[in-house]
Amino acid sequence: MTTDARSAKNAVDGALVTCDGDISTAIFPDEFYISHVVNGQQVSGIRVEKSGHDISSDKLVSVVGRIATAKDGERYIDAWSALAHESASIEPLFMNLKSLGGGSTLGGGQRGITDAQGLNNIGTFVRVCGCVTYCDEHTFTLQDGSNVNVICVTPKEITVNPLWRYVVVTGVSSIMKSNDTYIRLVKVTVVDPVIVDNGGQ
């Protein structure tokens, strides 16, 4: 039985997991994310699925459930218990787009992005920025010069503005399967347009 988000991600599917004292970050209908913190630094995160949960962000939480892997490759806790306790918060990790996702974890835990290297950060609360290269009502694609495209998906309360050019995005590093390829995805909680001063030109 595991005791935090970091160890839960490496458990086998079907294993009973408990996470006590991790911090809630991104909140969505019927799912939320928790991050494990060591010495004030976020070291891992994982998705928790629980229909009708009442968890809000920035809380210490206790979760009990079983580990599973979604068809998109993301590990998650299928929870039957999720309780919020006192307030606690963490800052999102700022990273470039190429660093999102990372490679697979050792020992067959969380799958990584196809052809990616570096530490796996799927499930982690992050902040990225870049140029918007495509958008529709709730989806946009970012580039930052690092030769990767990152798909960003917003909840229904955040509508993408087609006039956005450069944005700063806060959300969760996630993964998406496209045919046989696993690609970078950000589940968005906040989008801040960047005002570019062109000197009045």
Side-chain angles (χ1 to χ4, degrees):
M1 185 180 294
T2 58
T3 57
D4 58 61
R6 177 171 54 180
S7 53
K9 287 177 70 172
N10 291 317
V12 298
D13 281 356
L16 176 64
V17 295
T18 64
C19 298
D20 191 14
D22 290 333
I23 298 176
S24 58
T25 57
I27 309 298
F28 303 103
D30 298 327
E31 68 178 38
F32 59 95
Y33 283 79
I34 57 175
S35 284
H36 183 58
V37 175
V38 175
N39 296 327
Q41 299 296 316
Q42 184 181 187
V43 297
S44 187
I46 192 169
R47 183 167 109 204
V48 179
E49 292 195 358
K50 188 176 189 304
S51 179
H53 72 80
D54 59 358
I55 302 297
S56 58
S57 60
D58 299 331
K59 299 289 187 180
L60 292 176
V61 296
S62 299
V63 173
V64 181
R66 294 195 181 274
I67 194 71
T69 303
K71 62 181 180 180
D72 59 10
E74 186 173 0
R75 309 301 306 282
Y76 68 95
I77 299 172
D78 184 9
W80 60 77
S81 175
L83 300 174
H85 305 295
E86 63 265 31
S87 297
S89 63
I90 53 173
E91 289 296 317
L93 294 176
F94 191 88
M95 58 181 62
N96 62 41
L97 299 183
K98 193 171 184 178
S99 298
L100 280 171
S104 297
T105 57
L106 297 176
Q110 174 61 60
R111 178 185 295 275
I113 304 302
T114 301
D115 296 328
Q117 298 179 351
L119 293 176
N120 188 284
N121 53 70
I122 292 169
T124 304
F125 190 45
V126 298
R127 181 169 290 148
V128 297
C129 63
C131 175
V132 178
T133 59
Y134 163 84
C135 69
D136 59 28
E137 188 176 13
H138 291 291
T139 305
F140 58 97
T141 302
L142 287 185
Q143 292 182 348
D144 67 355
S146 57
N147 200 32
V148 299
N149 294 310
V150 173
I151 296 174
C152 300
V153 177
T154 71
K156 63 180 181 180
E157 62 268 21
I158 299 178
T159 302
V160 177
N161 187 330
L163 298 179
W164 287 345
R165 186 175 179 191
Y166 298 99
V167 295
V168 177
V169 176
T170 302
V172 175
S173 173
S174 187
I175 188 171
M176 177 178 178
K177 189 175 183 181
S178 177
N179 297 319
D180 293 326
T181 301
Y182 292 88
I183 60 179
R184 297 167 177 86
L185 175 72
V186 175
K187 294 182 177 180
V188 178
T189 57
V190 178
V191 182
D192 294 309
V194 177
I195 306 301
V196 177
D197 184 357
N198 61 6
Q201 300 299 315

